[in-house]
Amino acid sequence: MNEYLIPVTISCTLITLSYIALKLRNRILGSMNEMVVVPLYTGIASLLMILLPITNEPAVTDLRHIPILMAGLQLGLPVALLSTLPPAAFILLIDGVRGVPDLLVGIALPAFISALMHRKEYRSGFERLRLGDGVKIIALLFLVKIALGFFTLPVPWPEYLQLNAYLFVISLLCLVVLVALHNDENKNWLLQRQLELEANQDRLTGLPNIRSFLEIAGNMLKKRQISILMIDIDNFKNFNDTLGHLQGDHLLRETGHLLRGTIGEKDYIARYGGEEFIVMCDSVDSRRLASLASRLCHAVAAYPFAGREIQPGQAISISIGISIAARPEDDLYRLIAEADKALYTSKRSGKNRFTFYESSTSATS
């Protein structure tokens, strides 16, 4: 009875270690995790499997290859090869040069074979691991091992085939469970990411929402000076009331997309609410800000929006208010309020223009 419980116990141990690894991966993100933490943990798991053999007769059999197979399938060859270092060092320390064949077949070979089935989408976590890829890896690995074993024959040929068939079944069952476990955990991670994205994204325009903007701008303002641009679509109520809310929503989406493509790479735009947008600019130079605001006004006025002919001047236009932080760690909410005041100065001064809060003077675009 104990002989049948041993592989079950070892498999459960391996699955538990893999579950912990999944939790670590989702909590510790970044290149350091992939290139240091994951290979180290995977290598230790493989080493533990060496210390927990399933059988010793007629030859030593263990599951050292499973953690490395999972690393190669999910993260590719570099991570899989790094994962081989701990078990390889242990084998060389115990067996010396005599352990090299065992190292190549039991450790290095699984790393290369699993990497053949790796897809770049697996690394990002946005695609489920395909069970078929795992089955192909196990089948290919044991076909190669059987072919190599034909020339070495550590045990009689019938016993060697029986031993590998036994290990193939156990490995396949472990890999099926691990792939299912990974996909289930990854599904929860994706759901969490989706919820975070929805919490920080405006559903209508696809732009970040004001919640996300306040967090990003607040963190930036702690480090350096920034500028705030408040942008409002002129006469939006007339457009919305005349053509309907669907056309109004379409105008908001197109305007948001146009503004995002016009601002600088280091600038950050969000939908403030209604027909208003807000931009965080990394520049505090008034000439550069004036140039940016002018480009935004011209880009919107020149764009062939559907329904623009019903607006004054037969064009869609925007008004902008600009506020510049006097120092790092300035009050973000005060900057937004100042930009908002400057925006309404632009509105009262004829629209289709920008105004700096400091001087309260307008410039027609």
Side-chain angles (χ1 to χ4, degrees):
M1 182 66 178
N2 290 336
E3 293 180 0
Y4 294 102
L5 289 177
I6 289 175
V8 174
T9 303
I10 294 175
S11 299
C12 289
T13 302
L14 179 58
I15 291 169
T16 301
L17 290 172
S18 299
Y19 182 75
I20 295 173
L22 283 174
K23 289 294 186 181
L24 282 175
R25 178 181 179 270
N26 290 341
R27 289 178 180 271
I28 310 173
L29 300 176
S31 58
M32 179 181 177
N33 174 42
E34 284 193 3
M35 303 309 294
V36 178
V37 179
V38 170
L40 179 62
Y41 189 91
T42 302
I44 293 174
S46 178
L47 174 57
L48 185 59
M49 291 299 100
I50 294 176
L51 298 175
L52 296 172
I54 296 177
T55 63
N56 290 306
E57 298 294 338
V60 176
T61 303
D62 56 54
L63 297 175
R64 71 184 71 179
H65 54 285
I66 296 293
I68 295 173
L69 288 179
M70 285 297 295
L73 176 62
Q74 182 186 357
L75 299 172
L77 184 59
V79 174
L81 289 178
L82 288 173
S83 300
T84 66
L85 295 180
F90 176 78
I91 292 173
L92 292 177
L93 180 65
I94 299 301
D95 297 330
V97 179
R98 292 178 302 173
V100 171
D102 189 29
L103 187 158
L104 293 175
V105 176
I107 301 295
L109 182 62
F112 283 99
I113 290 180
S114 61
L116 293 176
M117 300 297 170
H118 169 68
R119 303 168 189 266
K120 62 180 181 180
E121 294 83 4
Y122 290 163
R123 180 186 293 271
S124 65
F126 288 99
E127 182 172 327
R128 295 164 58 90
L129 296 182
R130 300 181 184 180
L131 182 59
D133 288 343
V135 174
K136 291 176 186 177
I137 290 172
I138 294 292
L140 184 58
L141 174 64
F142 280 93
L143 285 174
V144 174
K145 288 183 68 175
I146 289 173
L148 292 174
F150 180 79
F151 298 99
T152 56
L153 288 178
V155 295
W157 181 247
E159 293 184 10
Y160 183 74
L161 287 177
Q162 183 180 2
L163 178 65
N164 275 279
Y166 174 63
L167 187 57
F168 172 81
V169 172
I170 295 177
S171 298
L172 185 59
L173 291 175
C174 283
L175 199 66
V176 167
V177 173
L178 291 176
V179 168
L181 186 68
H182 173 276
N183 288 338
D184 184 65
E185 180 66 22
N186 204 51
K187 180 181 178 181
N188 295 333
W189 176 77
L190 283 174
L191 179 60
Q192 181 181 350
R193 290 290 301 273
Q194 183 64 30
L195 291 174
E196 291 175 355
L197 179 62
E198 290 180 358
N200 293 292
Q201 186 180 56
D202 176 64
R203 291 188 177 184
L204 177 62
T205 62
L207 295 176
N209 58 21
I210 188 60
R211 170 185 171 180
S212 172
F213 181 88
L214 292 174
E215 181 179 353
I216 298 294
N219 290 335
M220 182 63 72
L221 190 54
K222 291 177 182 178
K223 304 174 184 177
R224 56 177 298 173
Q225 292 173 266
I226 62 172
S227 302
I228 298 294
L229 282 71
M230 287 291 296
I231 304 172
D232 184 89
I233 301 176
D234 296 329
N235 305 299
F236 180 76
K237 187 176 185 303
N238 174 67
F239 186 94
N240 206 42
D241 291 346
T242 304
L243 298 180
H245 293 291
L246 290 179
Q247 281 295 102
D249 289 348
H250 185 65
L251 175 61
L252 288 172
R253 284 191 292 268
E254 282 197 302
T255 303
H257 180 76
L258 182 60
L259 294 174
R260 181 167 55 183
T262 307
I263 61 175
E265 292 183 358
K266 297 181 180 179
D267 301 334
Y268 190 79
I269 186 171
R271 186 184 178 196
Y272 188 76
E275 68 271 26
E276 289 187 312
F277 301 88
I278 186 169
V279 175
M280 177 193 71
C281 185
D282 74 325
S283 176
V284 293
D285 181 82
S286 58
R287 287 177 297 180
R288 291 184 60 187
L289 291 169
S291 176
L292 171 61
S294 180
R295 289 202 312 273
L296 291 171
C297 288
H298 279 296
V300 173
Y303 191 83
F305 293 99
R308 65 189 183 282
E309 60 276 357
I310 70 164
Q311 294 291 77
Q314 296 188 342
I316 303 297
S317 64
I318 57 173
S319 295
I320 303 175
I322 306 171
S323 177
I324 303 174
R327 61 188 182 281
E329 299 187 351
D330 208 340
D331 187 341
L332 176 61
Y333 289 92
R334 181 179 58 79
L335 286 173
I336 294 174
E338 290 175 353
D340 202 43
K341 291 178 181 178
L343 167 63
Y344 282 97
T345 299
S346 294
K347 289 284 192 181
R348 290 192 301 268
S349 301
K351 303 178 182 177
N352 191 27
R353 64 191 64 216
F354 58 89
T355 301
F356 285 91
Y357 173 78
E358 291 81 1
S359 62
S360 294
T361 57
S362 327
T364 302
S365 172

